[in-house]
Each structure stands twice: as C-alpha cells, then as structure tokens.
Amino acid sequence: MQKESNQRHEGTHMPFNRLLKQARQGDKSAMESIIFLFDDEIQHLSSFLRIPREEAVQSLRTELIGLVKNA
C-alpha cells in the first residue's frame, strides 16, 4: 500500500466509529481509511522493531486489520 503524500484520503472525514463499522462489514475503502489514519503511528512504531522496516510496517498493518475485524 503506497503512502499518500499530504492528500486527504477518502472517508477520513467520516466519524471513526462509522468507519470501523463499515470496515467490519467488509468495506475495503473504510479499512484503507483506517489504515491511513494510523499510518504515522505505524511508521513510527516500525522503527523500533528489529526487522526490515517494510516488513515491520506490513506486520503492524496486518495486526491493525486483525484488530479491526475481531474487535
């Protein structure tokens, strides 16, 4: 997934709880919006993991998706 440079991602104007509900129902756009909202934190946290950065980012995104789907 490519990072969008300073562009407003579709759906980020929507309340988070609505995005969460839609993502749980399988809305891929809503899931992408949630991942986008947490991208800065994911990038920051990936620097603390002792694996290649891109692998760390991917792992954190995968965990986030799991949390959204199973929460």
Side-chain angles (χ1 to χ4, degrees), residues 3-4 11-12 17 19 26 36 38 42-43 47 54-56 60:
K3 184 173 180 178
E4 298 171 24
T12 56
N17 59 346
L19 271 177
F36 178 78
F38 286 95
I42 288 171
Q43 295 297 327
S47 66
E54 194 55 41
E55 187 176 336
L60 291 168

Side-chain angles (χ1 to χ4, degrees), residues 7-32:
Q7 293 179 352
R8 189 171 178 94
H9 193 272
E10 276 184 48
T12 56
H13 64 281
M14 192 180 303
F16 184 76
N17 59 346
R18 189 168 173 202
L19 271 177
L20 189 59
K21 182 179 178 182
Q22 289 179 344
R24 286 181 183 155
Q25 293 173 346
D27 185 330
K28 290 182 181 181
S29 178
M31 184 65 78
E32 289 174 1

Side-chain angles (χ1 to χ4, degrees), residues 14-69:
M14 192 180 303
F16 184 76
N17 59 346
R18 189 168 173 202
L19 271 177
L20 189 59
K21 182 179 178 182
Q22 289 179 344
R24 286 181 183 155
Q25 293 173 346
D27 185 330
K28 290 182 181 181
S29 178
M31 184 65 78
E32 289 174 1
S33 293
I34 290 172
I35 293 169
F36 178 78
L37 286 171
F38 286 95
D39 193 58
D40 287 342
E41 288 82 3
I42 288 171
Q43 295 297 327
H44 176 71
L45 290 172
S46 70
S47 66
F48 295 104
L49 299 176
R50 296 181 186 254
I51 56 177
R53 187 171 190 110
E54 194 55 41
E55 187 176 336
V57 167
Q58 216 37 42
S59 294
L60 291 168
R61 286 180 181 158
T62 301
E63 286 295 319
L64 178 58
I65 290 167
L67 288 170
V68 168
K69 287 184 175 182

